[in-house]
Amino acid sequence: MEDDLDRTLGTVGPRLRALRRQNETTLAELSAATGISVSTLSRLESGTRRPTLELLLPLARAHGVTLDELVDAPPTGDPRIHLRPVTRHGMTMLPLTRRPGGIQAYKLVIPPENPPAKPVLQTHEGYEWAYVLNGRLRVLLGEHDLVLSPGEAAEFDTRLPHWFGPADDEPVEILSLFGKQGERAHLRARPRPGGAPAGP
């Protein structure tokens, strides 16, 4: 029984590190969100500090997962994805990918600000593709000021100054693909002769 407990607790460190990297959170940011010191977080991730309930509860909340998910991996071969929304900077983010690295997919719901704040353009490494599901998305990209409606998409190098949010006083819902290494996501389709859809 004790061996099973040790094995379970031994998997928590790598899972904590993977969740933090997936959420693109630094140890300092996680420390500020949980009240747990950076050194304790680092020792938890490396496995040199035994996790306790007092430490795991705030970490589960910060990562947007249940305590069960944090300490017990799903059965091997289970195809179900257990999605947990996370709220950051006023927007709700639903991660659609679970693996670290590569292209990350999110469903974002961005509410309007009341009162509206002046957009602050940002830059960072990567490449982003955004598809509007509901509402209207305003995209500021360098000198461009665009409004996208449902069914429209934009892709851009995030090293260009950019900002996006609701174009009016209604929330906007988008699918977002983001790659730190500058991957581009393209949708291409051309009809076959006779009108049959093209294959992959």
Side-chain angles (χ1 to χ4, degrees):
M1 186 73 169
E2 189 67 25
D3 287 346
D4 289 344
L5 180 61
D6 288 339
R7 275 195 296 272
T8 298
L9 293 179
T11 65
V12 171
R15 194 171 296 121
L16 285 171
R17 181 181 287 111
L19 281 168
R20 181 173 60 79
R21 289 177 176 170
Q22 176 184 312
N23 293 329
E24 300 176 13
T25 305
T26 66
L27 285 171
E29 290 169 338
L30 190 57
S31 174
T34 61
I36 301 170
S37 72
V38 169
S39 62
T40 298
L41 291 171
S42 179
R43 285 185 287 139
L44 281 171
E45 288 188 2
S46 67
T48 58
R49 171 72 184 260
R50 187 180 176 96
T52 64
L53 191 60
E54 184 181 18
L55 295 172
L56 292 179
L57 281 173
L59 285 168
R61 280 195 297 270
H63 289 306
V65 298
T66 65
L67 194 58
D68 286 345
E69 287 179 290
L70 204 54
V71 298
D72 190 19
T76 302
D78 186 349
R80 293 172 296 177
I81 298 174
H82 305 283
L83 304 172
R84 293 285 184 268
V86 177
T87 300
R88 286 217 184 107
H89 311 297
M91 79 173 80
T92 301
M93 305 171 57
L94 186 66
L96 302 178
T97 49
R98 300 295 294 256
R99 64 183 181 87
I103 293 180
Q104 301 296 311
Y106 300 91
K107 180 179 177 180
L108 306 179
V109 180
I110 312 171
E113 292 186 338
N114 190 14
K118 182 178 179 182
V120 177
L121 279 69
Q122 298 182 345
T123 61
H124 51 86
E125 288 294 321
Y127 207 86
E128 183 142 2
W129 179 89
Y131 177 86
V132 182
L133 295 169
N134 290 299
R136 298 169 71 237
L137 180 71
R138 183 181 180 199
V139 179
L140 302 182
L141 182 60
E143 297 177 357
H144 299 285
D145 189 342
L146 311 167
V147 174
L148 305 181
S149 298
E152 294 186 306
E155 65 173 340
F156 53 90
D157 188 326
T158 55
R159 290 173 296 184
L160 292 172
H162 64 279
W163 174 93
F164 56 82
D168 45 39
D169 58 358
E170 295 294 328
V172 63
E173 186 176 337
I174 67 172
L175 288 179
S176 172
L177 299 181
F178 174 76
K180 279 191 172 181
Q181 296 77 28
E183 297 97 334
R184 296 188 179 198
H186 290 288
L187 294 177
R188 292 191 178 94
R190 63 176 180 269
R192 285 184 175 170

